[in-house]
Each structure stands twice: as structure tokens, then as C-alpha cells.
Amino acid sequence: MLTLDIEELIVESDEMINSHYFIHCHVKDHCCACPRCGQLSTRVHAYYDRVIQDLPINGKSVYLKIRCRKLLCLNEECTKKIFAQQIRCVRPKSKKTDRLEKVILKIATDTSLIEASRTLRQLGIIASKSSIAELLKKNRDFC
């Protein structure tokens, strides 16, 4: 079984599909704080899966299939009744881990978008020119 160097995730299983690794995992923390009021909760409302691209292994793309939870806020005065569990190694709504984004930014700042996309593909990282450009816009201070 493959292992991850991401402390907050527990690997359940892995599989290779069409030369891509899929690592099934879940977040280690059972207790999460409501983003609005800070109240800790362990009360699960629902589960959902997030698929996040991570650093490649031996030139093969790696995707983390993370089982995430939606939790109920236990504070009756809070206006946010349901909230999603946050994953520290992935920004909200991102499709790539923070460490993968850093690699993409490093390569993209040293070359053109076309060359960066080609180089990343050879490394096993799937990133189009437009997604690289969007990432550069979001991280202007990195450049």
C-alpha cells in the first residue's frame, strides 16, 4: 500500500487506474470547529468525496480521494447550521494540494505557460495553460 507524507490524512487503500494512482483516505481529526462561531463539533450531517491531485509518484499522476464530512454546528445561536470539514493541506475549492501548487508555481515562474504545461506533463502533473495562469494570478506574491 502507498503511504502519504501528509500528517492529517489516513490512507485506507490505493489503486492504479489507467496509469494514475488513486489513494483513498480520510481526515484523521474527528472534531472540527465551526468556521463562523468556533464551536467544536463531532456530529456528522453527511459524507462526500473530494478528489485532489497530489505530487506524482514515479512520473505517474496521483489523486487523493478524500472522504470528507459535513458537520452540524452545535451552537444554537450560530447562523451556520452545517459546515464542511477543512483539509489543511488543500485550500478551499482547490483541486490540488498546496505542495503540488508550489511545484507548479516554481516551474511556471521560470518558463512560459506552454513550456511549463509540457514539463509538468512529463513529470506526471496534469495542469493546463489556463489552470497554471489562474494559479499564478491567485499567487502573485509568489512570483
Side-chain angles (χ1 to χ4, degrees):
M1 183 176 331
L2 296 172
T3 59
L4 286 176
D5 190 23
I6 301 176
E7 214 174 276
E8 69 181 305
L9 298 178
I10 296 174
V11 175
E12 297 169 355
S13 65
D14 63 71
E15 60 185 329
M16 181 177 268
I17 301 172
N18 298 331
S19 74
H20 301 292
Y21 288 111
F22 285 86
I23 302 174
H24 302 265
C25 49
H26 66 272
V27 179
K28 189 185 298 185
D29 296 335
H30 294 288
C31 192
C32 298
C34 172
R36 181 140 315 134
C37 70
Q39 172 73 42
L40 293 177
S41 178
T42 57
R43 216 158 139 217
V44 177
H45 171 71
Y47 290 96
Y48 67 100
D49 289 332
R50 276 185 79 181
V51 178
I52 308 294
Q53 187 178 6
D54 194 22
L55 295 171
I57 297 174
N58 293 331
K60 306 229 184 278
S61 299
V62 172
Y63 294 93
L64 306 177
K65 189 171 182 184
I66 306 171
R67 186 170 190 201
C68 298
R69 301 177 300 155
K70 288 193 177 208
L71 297 122
L72 296 168
C73 183
L74 303 175
N75 181 354
E76 293 176 8
E77 296 174 9
C78 183
T79 56
K80 187 130 183 120
K81 299 299 177 199
I82 299 170
F83 62 94
Q85 180 178 32
Q86 297 298 308
I87 305 169
R88 288 185 297 276
C89 65
V90 182
R91 290 187 304 178
K93 300 185 181 175
S94 180
K95 298 288 185 190
K96 295 173 175 43
T97 58
D98 293 341
R99 63 188 187 179
L100 177 60
E101 286 185 352
K102 287 177 185 172
V103 169
I104 293 170
L105 287 168
K106 177 63 180 144
I107 291 171
T109 54
D110 294 340
T111 62
S112 69
L113 291 177
I114 295 170
E115 186 59 36
S117 182
R118 186 178 302 127
T119 301
L120 290 167
R121 194 175 308 110
Q122 290 170 347
L123 295 172
I125 300 170
I126 299 169
S128 65
K129 295 178 294 187
S130 59
S131 68
I132 296 169
E134 199 62 38
L135 190 59
L136 286 167
K137 283 182 200 173
K138 289 179 186 173
N139 294 276
R140 287 190 177 118
D141 55 331
F142 185 88
C143 304

